[in-house]
CSV table of all heavy atoms in Angstrom, one decimal:
chain,number,residue,atom,x,y,z
A,128,GLN,N,-47.0,19.4,-49.9
A,128,GLN,CA,-48.2,19.4,-49.1
A,128,GLN,C,-47.9,18.9,-47.7
A,128,GLN,O,-47.3,17.8,-47.5
A,128,GLN,CB,-49.3,18.4,-49.7
A,128,GLN,CG,-50.7,18.5,-49.2
A,128,GLN,CD,-51.4,19.7,-49.7
A,128,GLN,OE1,-50.9,20.5,-50.5
A,128,GLN,NE2,-52.7,19.9,-49.2
A,129,PRO,N,-48.2,19.7,-46.6
A,129,PRO,CA,-48.0,19.2,-45.3
A,129,PRO,C,-48.6,17.8,-45.0
A,129,PRO,O,-49.7,17.6,-45.5
A,129,PRO,CB,-48.6,20.3,-44.4
A,129,PRO,CG,-48.5,21.5,-45.2
A,129,PRO,CD,-48.8,21.0,-46.6
A,130,VAL,N,-48.0,17.0,-44.3
A,130,VAL,CA,-48.4,15.6,-44.1
A,130,VAL,C,-49.9,15.5,-43.7
A,130,VAL,O,-50.7,14.8,-44.2
A,130,VAL,CB,-47.5,14.8,-43.2
A,130,VAL,CG1,-48.0,13.5,-42.9
A,130,VAL,CG2,-46.1,14.7,-43.8
A,131,PHE,N,-50.2,16.3,-42.7
A,131,PHE,CA,-51.5,16.1,-42.1
A,131,PHE,C,-52.6,16.9,-42.8
A,131,PHE,O,-53.7,17.1,-42.3
A,131,PHE,CB,-51.4,16.3,-40.6
A,131,PHE,CG,-50.6,15.4,-39.9
A,131,PHE,CD1,-49.3,15.7,-39.5
A,131,PHE,CD2,-51.0,14.1,-39.6
A,131,PHE,CE1,-48.4,14.8,-38.8
A,131,PHE,CE2,-50.2,13.1,-39.0
A,131,PHE,CZ,-48.9,13.5,-38.6
A,132,GLN,N,-52.2,17.6,-43.9
A,132,GLN,CA,-53.2,18.2,-44.7
A,132,GLN,C,-53.5,17.5,-46.0
A,132,GLN,O,-54.3,17.9,-46.8
A,132,GLN,CB,-52.7,19.7,-45.1
A,132,GLN,CG,-52.7,20.6,-43.9
A,132,GLN,CD,-52.2,22.0,-44.3
A,132,GLN,OE1,-52.3,22.4,-45.5
A,132,GLN,NE2,-51.8,22.8,-43.3
A,133,ARG,N,-52.8,16.3,-46.1
A,133,ARG,CA,-53.1,15.5,-47.2
A,133,ARG,C,-54.4,14.7,-47.0
A,133,ARG,O,-54.9,14.5,-45.9
A,133,ARG,CB,-52.0,14.4,-47.5
A,133,ARG,CG,-50.6,15.1,-47.7
A,133,ARG,CD,-49.5,14.1,-47.7
A,133,ARG,NE,-48.2,14.7,-47.8
A,133,ARG,CZ,-47.0,14.0,-47.7
A,133,ARG,NH1,-47.0,12.7,-47.5
A,133,ARG,NH2,-45.9,14.7,-47.8
A,134,GLU,N,-55.0,14.2,-48.2
A,134,GLU,CA,-56.2,13.5,-48.0
A,134,GLU,C,-56.1,12.2,-47.1
A,134,GLU,O,-56.9,11.9,-46.4
A,134,GLU,CB,-56.6,13.0,-49.5
A,134,GLU,CG,-57.9,12.2,-49.5
A,134,GLU,CD,-58.3,11.8,-50.9
A,134,GLU,OE1,-57.6,12.0,-51.8
A,134,GLU,OE2,-59.5,11.2,-51.0
A,135,PHE,N,-54.9,11.6,-47.2
A,135,PHE,CA,-54.6,10.5,-46.4
A,135,PHE,C,-53.2,10.5,-45.9
A,135,PHE,O,-52.2,10.3,-46.6
A,135,PHE,CB,-54.8,9.2,-47.3
A,135,PHE,CG,-55.1,7.9,-46.4
A,135,PHE,CD1,-56.4,7.5,-46.3
A,135,PHE,CD2,-54.1,7.2,-45.8
A,135,PHE,CE1,-56.6,6.3,-45.6
A,135,PHE,CE2,-54.3,6.2,-45.0
A,135,PHE,CZ,-55.6,5.7,-44.9
A,136,PRO,N,-52.9,11.0,-44.6
A,136,PRO,CA,-51.6,11.1,-44.1
A,136,PRO,C,-50.8,9.8,-44.2
A,136,PRO,O,-51.3,8.8,-43.6
A,136,PRO,CB,-51.8,11.6,-42.7
A,136,PRO,CG,-53.1,12.2,-42.7
A,136,PRO,CD,-53.9,11.3,-43.6
A,137,HIS,N,-49.6,9.8,-44.8
A,137,HIS,CA,-48.8,8.6,-44.9
A,137,HIS,C,-47.4,9.0,-45.3
A,137,HIS,O,-47.2,10.0,-45.9
A,137,HIS,CB,-49.4,7.6,-45.9
A,137,HIS,CG,-48.9,6.2,-45.8
A,137,HIS,ND1,-47.9,5.8,-46.5
A,137,HIS,CD2,-49.4,5.2,-45.1
A,137,HIS,CE1,-47.6,4.5,-46.3
A,137,HIS,NE2,-48.5,4.1,-45.4
A,138,ARG,N,-46.4,8.1,-45.0
A,138,ARG,CA,-45.1,8.4,-45.4
A,138,ARG,C,-44.9,8.3,-46.9
A,138,ARG,O,-44.0,8.9,-47.5
A,138,ARG,CB,-44.1,7.5,-44.6
A,138,ARG,CG,-44.1,6.1,-45.0
A,138,ARG,CD,-43.1,5.3,-44.2
A,138,ARG,NE,-43.1,3.8,-44.5
A,138,ARG,CZ,-42.2,3.3,-45.4
A,138,ARG,NH1,-41.3,4.0,-46.0
A,138,ARG,NH2,-42.3,2.0,-45.6
A,139,ASN,N,-45.7,7.4,-47.5
A,139,ASN,CA,-45.8,7.4,-49.0
A,139,ASN,C,-46.9,8.4,-49.4
A,139,ASN,O,-47.3,9.3,-48.6
A,139,ASN,CB,-46.1,6.0,-49.5
A,139,ASN,CG,-44.9,5.1,-49.2
A,139,ASN,OD1,-45.0,4.0,-48.6
A,139,ASN,ND2,-43.7,5.5,-49.7
A,140,PHE,N,-47.6,8.1,-50.5
A,140,PHE,CA,-48.6,9.0,-51.0
A,140,PHE,C,-49.8,8.2,-51.4
A,140,PHE,O,-49.8,7.4,-52.3
A,140,PHE,CB,-48.0,9.9,-52.2
A,140,PHE,CG,-46.6,10.4,-52.0
A,140,PHE,CD1,-45.5,9.8,-52.5
A,140,PHE,CD2,-46.5,11.5,-51.2
A,140,PHE,CE1,-44.3,10.3,-52.2
A,140,PHE,CE2,-45.2,12.0,-50.9
A,140,PHE,CZ,-44.1,11.4,-51.4
A,141,VAL,N,-50.9,8.5,-50.6
A,141,VAL,CA,-52.1,7.6,-50.7
A,141,VAL,C,-53.3,8.6,-51.1
A,141,VAL,O,-53.4,9.6,-50.5
A,141,VAL,CB,-52.4,7.0,-49.3
A,141,VAL,CG1,-53.6,6.0,-49.4
A,141,VAL,CG2,-51.2,6.1,-48.9
A,142,PHE,N,-54.1,8.0,-52.0
A,142,PHE,CA,-55.3,8.7,-52.4
A,142,PHE,C,-56.5,7.7,-52.2
A,142,PHE,O,-56.4,6.6,-52.4
A,142,PHE,CB,-55.3,9.2,-53.8
A,142,PHE,CG,-54.2,10.2,-54.0
A,142,PHE,CD1,-52.9,9.8,-54.5
A,142,PHE,CD2,-54.4,11.6,-53.8
A,142,PHE,CE1,-51.9,10.7,-54.7
A,142,PHE,CE2,-53.4,12.5,-54.0
A,142,PHE,CZ,-52.1,12.1,-54.5
A,143,ARG,N,-57.7,8.3,-51.9
A,143,ARG,CA,-58.9,7.5,-51.8
A,143,ARG,C,-59.6,7.6,-53.2
A,143,ARG,O,-59.8,8.7,-53.8
A,143,ARG,CB,-59.8,8.0,-50.8
A,143,ARG,CG,-61.0,7.1,-50.5
A,143,ARG,CD,-61.8,7.6,-49.2
A,143,ARG,NE,-61.0,7.7,-48.1
A,143,ARG,CZ,-60.7,6.6,-47.3
A,143,ARG,NH1,-61.2,5.5,-47.5
A,143,ARG,NH2,-60.0,6.8,-46.2
A,144,ILE,N,-59.9,6.4,-53.7
A,144,ILE,CA,-60.5,6.3,-55.1
A,144,ILE,C,-62.0,6.0,-54.9
A,144,ILE,O,-62.4,5.1,-54.2
A,144,ILE,CB,-59.9,5.2,-56.0
A,144,ILE,CG1,-58.3,5.5,-56.1
A,144,ILE,CG2,-60.5,5.1,-57.3
A,144,ILE,CD1,-58.1,6.9,-56.8
A,145,GLY,N,-62.9,6.7,-55.7
A,145,GLY,CA,-64.3,6.5,-55.6
A,145,GLY,C,-64.8,5.7,-56.9
A,145,GLY,O,-64.1,4.9,-57.5
A,146,HIS,N,-66.0,6.0,-57.3
A,146,HIS,CA,-66.5,5.3,-58.5
A,146,HIS,C,-66.3,6.2,-59.7
A,146,HIS,O,-67.3,6.8,-60.3
A,146,HIS,CB,-68.0,5.1,-58.2
A,146,HIS,CG,-68.3,4.2,-57.1
A,146,HIS,ND1,-68.1,2.8,-57.2
A,146,HIS,CD2,-68.6,4.4,-55.8
A,146,HIS,CE1,-68.4,2.2,-56.1
A,146,HIS,NE2,-68.7,3.2,-55.2
A,147,GLU,N,-65.0,6.4,-60.1
A,147,GLU,CA,-64.7,7.3,-61.2
A,147,GLU,C,-65.3,6.7,-62.5
A,147,GLU,O,-65.1,5.5,-62.7
A,147,GLU,CB,-63.2,7.5,-61.3
A,147,GLU,CG,-62.6,8.5,-60.4
A,147,GLU,CD,-62.5,8.0,-58.9
A,147,GLU,OE1,-62.8,6.9,-58.7
A,147,GLU,OE2,-62.1,8.9,-58.1
A,148,LYS,N,-65.8,7.5,-63.3
A,148,LYS,CA,-66.4,7.1,-64.6
A,148,LYS,C,-65.6,7.5,-65.8
A,148,LYS,O,-65.8,7.0,-66.8
A,148,LYS,CB,-67.8,7.7,-64.7
A,148,LYS,CG,-68.8,7.3,-63.7
A,148,LYS,CD,-69.0,5.8,-63.6
A,148,LYS,CE,-70.1,5.5,-62.5
A,148,LYS,NZ,-70.3,4.0,-62.5
A,149,GLU,N,-64.5,8.4,-65.5
A,149,GLU,CA,-63.7,9.0,-66.5
A,149,GLU,C,-62.3,8.7,-66.2
A,149,GLU,O,-61.9,8.2,-65.1
A,149,GLU,CB,-64.0,10.4,-66.7
A,149,GLU,CG,-65.4,10.7,-67.2
A,149,GLU,CD,-65.6,12.2,-67.6
A,149,GLU,OE1,-64.6,12.8,-68.1
A,149,GLU,OE2,-66.7,12.7,-67.4
A,150,THR,N,-61.4,9.0,-67.1
A,150,THR,CA,-60.0,8.8,-67.0
A,150,THR,C,-59.4,9.5,-65.8
A,150,THR,O,-59.7,10.7,-65.5
A,150,THR,CB,-59.3,9.3,-68.3
A,150,THR,OG1,-59.8,8.5,-69.4
A,150,THR,CG2,-57.8,9.0,-68.2
A,151,ILE,N,-58.5,8.8,-65.1
A,151,ILE,CA,-57.8,9.4,-64.0
A,151,ILE,C,-56.5,9.9,-64.5
A,151,ILE,O,-55.8,9.2,-65.2
A,151,ILE,CB,-57.5,8.3,-62.9
A,151,ILE,CG1,-58.9,7.9,-62.2
A,151,ILE,CG2,-56.6,8.9,-61.8
A,151,ILE,CD1,-58.7,6.8,-61.2
A,152,LEU,N,-56.1,11.1,-64.1
A,152,LEU,CA,-54.8,11.7,-64.5
A,152,LEU,C,-53.9,12.0,-63.2
A,152,LEU,O,-54.5,12.5,-62.2
A,152,LEU,CB,-55.0,13.0,-65.2
A,152,LEU,CG,-55.5,12.9,-66.6
A,152,LEU,CD1,-55.8,14.3,-67.2
A,152,LEU,CD2,-54.6,12.1,-67.5
A,153,ILE,N,-52.7,11.7,-63.3
A,153,ILE,CA,-51.8,11.9,-62.1
A,153,ILE,C,-50.6,12.7,-62.6
A,153,ILE,O,-49.9,12.2,-63.6
A,153,ILE,CB,-51.3,10.6,-61.4
A,153,ILE,CG1,-52.6,9.8,-60.9
A,153,ILE,CG2,-50.4,10.9,-60.3
A,153,ILE,CD1,-52.3,8.5,-60.3
A,154,ALA,N,-50.3,13.8,-61.9
A,154,ALA,CA,-49.1,14.6,-62.3
A,154,ALA,C,-48.0,14.5,-61.2
A,154,ALA,O,-48.3,14.7,-60.1
A,154,ALA,CB,-49.5,16.0,-62.5
A,155,ILE,N,-46.8,14.1,-61.6
A,155,ILE,CA,-45.7,13.8,-60.6
A,155,ILE,C,-44.5,14.7,-61.0
A,155,ILE,O,-44.1,14.7,-62.1
A,155,ILE,CB,-45.3,12.4,-60.5
A,155,ILE,CG1,-46.5,11.5,-60.0
A,155,ILE,CG2,-44.1,12.2,-59.6
A,155,ILE,CD1,-46.2,10.1,-60.0
A,156,LYS,N,-44.0,15.5,-60.0
A,156,LYS,CA,-42.8,16.2,-60.2
A,156,LYS,C,-41.8,15.9,-59.1
A,156,LYS,O,-42.2,15.7,-57.9
A,156,LYS,CB,-43.1,17.7,-60.1
A,156,LYS,CG,-44.0,18.2,-61.2
A,156,LYS,CD,-44.2,19.7,-61.0
A,156,LYS,CE,-45.2,20.3,-62.0
A,156,LYS,NZ,-45.5,21.7,-61.8
A,157,SER,N,-40.5,15.8,-59.4
A,157,SER,CA,-39.5,15.5,-58.4
A,157,SER,C,-38.1,16.0,-58.9
A,157,SER,O,-37.8,15.7,-60.0
A,157,SER,CB,-39.4,14.0,-58.0
A,157,SER,OG,-38.5,13.8,-57.0
A,158,GLU,N,-37.4,16.7,-58.1
A,158,GLU,CA,-36.0,17.1,-58.4
A,158,GLU,C,-35.0,15.9,-58.0
A,158,GLU,O,-33.9,16.1,-58.3
A,158,GLU,CB,-35.6,18.3,-57.7
A,158,GLU,CG,-36.4,19.6,-58.2
A,158,GLU,CD,-35.8,20.8,-57.6
A,158,GLU,OE1,-34.7,21.1,-57.9
A,158,GLU,OE2,-36.5,21.5,-56.9
A,159,ILE,N,-35.5,14.9,-57.4
A,159,ILE,CA,-34.6,13.8,-57.0
A,159,ILE,C,-35.0,12.6,-57.9
A,159,ILE,O,-36.1,12.5,-58.5
A,159,ILE,CB,-34.8,13.4,-55.5
A,159,ILE,CG1,-34.3,14.7,-54.7
A,159,ILE,CG2,-34.0,12.3,-55.1
A,159,ILE,CD1,-34.4,14.5,-53.2
A,160,SER,N,-34.2,11.7,-58.0
A,160,SER,CA,-34.4,10.5,-58.9
A,160,SER,C,-35.7,9.9,-58.6
A,160,SER,O,-36.2,9.7,-57.5
A,160,SER,CB,-33.3,9.4,-58.6
A,160,SER,OG,-33.5,8.3,-59.4
A,161,LEU,N,-36.5,9.6,-59.7
A,161,LEU,CA,-37.9,9.3,-59.6
A,161,LEU,C,-38.2,7.9,-59.8
A,161,LEU,O,-37.9,7.4,-61.0
A,161,LEU,CB,-38.7,10.2,-60.6
A,161,LEU,CG,-40.2,10.1,-60.6
A,161,LEU,CD1,-40.8,10.3,-59.2
A,161,LEU,CD2,-40.8,10.9,-61.6
A,162,GLN,N,-38.6,7.1,-58.9
A,162,GLN,CA,-39.0,5.7,-59.0
A,162,GLN,C,-40.3,5.6,-58.3
A,162,GLN,O,-40.4,6.1,-57.1
A,162,GLN,CB,-38.0,4.7,-58.5
A,162,GLN,CG,-36.6,4.8,-59.2
A,162,GLN,CD,-35.7,5.8,-58.5
A,162,GLN,OE1,-35.8,6.1,-57.4
A,162,GLN,NE2,-34.8,6.4,-59.3
A,163,PHE,N,-41.3,4.8,-58.8
A,163,PHE,CA,-42.5,4.5,-58.1
A,163,PHE,C,-43.3,3.3,-58.6
A,163,PHE,O,-42.9,2.8,-59.7
A,163,PHE,CB,-43.4,5.8,-58.1
A,163,PHE,CG,-43.7,6.2,-59.5
A,163,PHE,CD1,-44.7,5.7,-60.2
A,163,PHE,CD2,-43.0,7.3,-60.1
A,163,PHE,CE1,-45.1,6.0,-61.5
A,163,PHE,CE2,-43.3,7.7,-61.4
A,163,PHE,CZ,-44.3,7.1,-62.1
A,164,SER,N,-44.2,2.9,-57.9
A,164,SER,CA,-45.2,1.9,-58.4
A,164,SER,C,-46.6,2.3,-57.9
A,164,SER,O,-46.7,3.0,-56.9
A,164,SER,CB,-44.8,0.5,-57.9
A,164,SER,OG,-44.9,0.4,-56.5
A,165,PHE,N,-47.6,1.8,-58.6
A,165,PHE,CA,-49.0,2.1,-58.2
A,165,PHE,C,-49.5,0.8,-57.6
A,165,PHE,O,-49.5,-0.2,-58.3
A,165,PHE,CB,-49.8,2.5,-59.4
A,165,PHE,CG,-49.4,3.9,-59.9
A,165,PHE,CD1,-48.9,4.1,-61.2
A,165,PHE,CD2,-49.6,5.0,-59.1
A,165,PHE,CE1,-48.5,5.3,-61.6
A,165,PHE,CE2,-49.3,6.3,-59.6
A,165,PHE,CZ,-48.7,6.4,-60.8
A,166,ILE,N,-50.1,0.9,-56.4
A,166,ILE,CA,-50.6,-0.3,-55.7
A,166,ILE,C,-52.1,0.1,-55.2
A,166,ILE,O,-52.3,1.2,-54.6
A,166,ILE,CB,-49.8,-0.6,-54.5
A,166,ILE,CG1,-48.4,-1.0,-55.0
A,166,ILE,CG2,-50.4,-1.8,-53.7
A,166,ILE,CD1,-47.4,-1.2,-53.8
A,167,PHE,N,-53.0,-0.7,-55.6
A,167,PHE,CA,-54.4,-0.5,-55.0
A,167,PHE,C,-54.5,-1.5,-53.8
A,167,PHE,O,-54.2,-2.7,-53.9
A,167,PHE,CB,-55.5,-0.8,-56.1
A,167,PHE,CG,-55.6,0.2,-57.1
A,167,PHE,CD1,-54.8,0.3,-58.3
A,167,PHE,CD2,-56.4,1.3,-56.9
A,167,PHE,CE1,-54.9,1.3,-59.2
A,167,PHE,CE2,-56.6,2.3,-57.8
A,167,PHE,CZ,-55.8,2.3,-59.0
A,168,THR,N,-55.0,-0.9,-52.8
A,168,THR,CA,-55.1,-1.7,-51.5
A,168,THR,C,-56.3,-1.1,-50.8
A,168,THR,O,-57.1,-0.3,-51.2
A,168,THR,CB,-53.8,-1.6,-50.7
A,168,THR,OG1,-53.9,-2.4,-49.6
A,168,THR,CG2,-53.5,-0.2,-50.3
A,169,ASN,N,-56.4,-1.6,-49.5
A,169,ASN,CA,-57.4,-1.1,-48.6
A,169,ASN,C,-56.8,-0.7,-47.3
A,169,ASN,O,-55.6,-0.9,-47.0
A,169,ASN,CB,-58.6,-2.1,-48.4
A,169,ASN,CG,-58.0,-3.4,-47.8
A,169,ASN,OD1,-57.3,-3.4,-46.8
A,169,ASN,ND2,-58.4,-4.5,-48.4
A,170,GLN,N,-57.6,0.0,-46.4
A,170,GLN,CA,-57.0,0.6,-45.2
A,170,GLN,C,-56.5,-0.5,-44.3
A,170,GLN,O,-55.5,-0.3,-43.6
A,170,GLN,CB,-58.1,1.5,-44.5
A,170,GLN,CG,-57.5,2.2,-43.4
A,170,GLN,CD,-58.4,3.4,-42.9
A,170,GLN,OE1,-59.3,3.8,-43.7
A,170,GLN,NE2,-58.1,4.0,-41.8
A,171,ARG,N,-57.2,-1.6,-44.1
A,171,ARG,CA,-56.8,-2.6,-43.2
A,171,ARG,C,-55.4,-3.2,-43.6
A,171,ARG,O,-54.5,-3.4,-42.8
A,171,ARG,CB,-57.8,-3.8,-43.1
A,171,ARG,CG,-57.4,-4.9,-42.1
A,171,ARG,CD,-58.4,-6.0,-42.1
A,171,ARG,NE,-58.5,-6.7,-43.4
A,171,ARG,CZ,-59.3,-7.8,-43.6
A,171,ARG,NH1,-60.1,-8.2,-42.6
A,171,ARG,NH2,-59.2,-8.4,-44.7
A,172,ASN,N,-55.2,-3.5,-44.9
A,172,ASN,CA,-54.0,-4.0,-45.4
A,172,ASN,C,-52.8,-3.0,-45.3
A,172,ASN,O,-51.7,-3.2,-44.9
A,172,ASN,CB,-54.1,-4.4,-46.9
A,172,ASN,CG,-52.8,-5.1,-47.4
A,172,ASN,OD1,-52.4,-6.2,-46.9
A,172,ASN,ND2,-52.1,-4.4,-48.3
A,173,LEU,N,-53.2,-1.7,-45.5
A,173,LEU,CA,-52.2,-0.6,-45.4
A,173,LEU,C,-51.7,-0.5,-44.0
A,173,LEU,O,-50.5,-0.4,-43.7
A,173,LEU,CB,-52.8,0.7,-45.9
A,173,LEU,CG,-51.8,1.9,-46.0
A,173,LEU,CD1,-50.8,1.6,-47.1
A,173,LEU,CD2,-52.6,3.1,-46.4
A,174,GLN,N,-52.6,-0.6,-43.0
A,174,GLN,CA,-52.2,-0.5,-41.6
A,174,GLN,C,-51.3,-1.7,-41.2
A,174,GLN,O,-50.4,-1.6,-40.4
A,174,GLN,CB,-53.4,-0.4,-40.8
A,174,GLN,CG,-54.2,1.0,-40.9
A,174,GLN,CD,-55.4,1.0,-40.2
A,174,GLN,OE1,-56.0,0.0,-39.7
A,174,GLN,NE2,-56.0,2.3,-39.9
A,175,ARG,N,-51.7,-2.9,-41.7
A,175,ARG,CA,-51.0,-4.1,-41.4
A,175,ARG,C,-49.6,-3.9,-41.9
A,175,ARG,O,-48.6,-4.2,-41.2
A,175,ARG,CB,-51.7,-5.3,-42.0
A,175,ARG,CG,-51.0,-6.6,-41.7
A,175,ARG,CD,-51.7,-7.8,-42.3
A,175,ARG,NE,-51.9,-7.7,-43.7
A,175,ARG,CZ,-51.0,-8.2,-44.5
A,175,ARG,NH1,-49.9,-8.8,-44.1
A,175,ARG,NH2,-51.2,-8.1,-45.9
Side-chain angles (χ1 to χ4, degrees):
Q128 191 78 359
V130 171
F131 297 103
Q132 292 181 20
R133 299 173 187 173
E134 182 182 5
F135 204 101
H137 196 268
R138 68 183 180 95
N139 293 124
F140 312 103
V141 182
F142 297 93
R143 190 176 298 279
I144 302 298
H146 297 278
E147 280 75 4
K148 302 298 183 181
E149 296 189 32
T150 301
I151 295 175
L152 291 175
I153 299 175
I155 296 178
K156 297 178 184 178
S157 182
E158 292 190 60
I159 297 178
S160 181
L161 182 60
Q162 299 88 27
F163 57 83
S164 66
F165 290 114
I166 300 171
F167 284 92
T168 185
N169 57 49
Q170 188 163 346
R171 183 180 65 177
N172 184 68
L173 189 64
Q174 290 175 342
R175 180 176 62 87

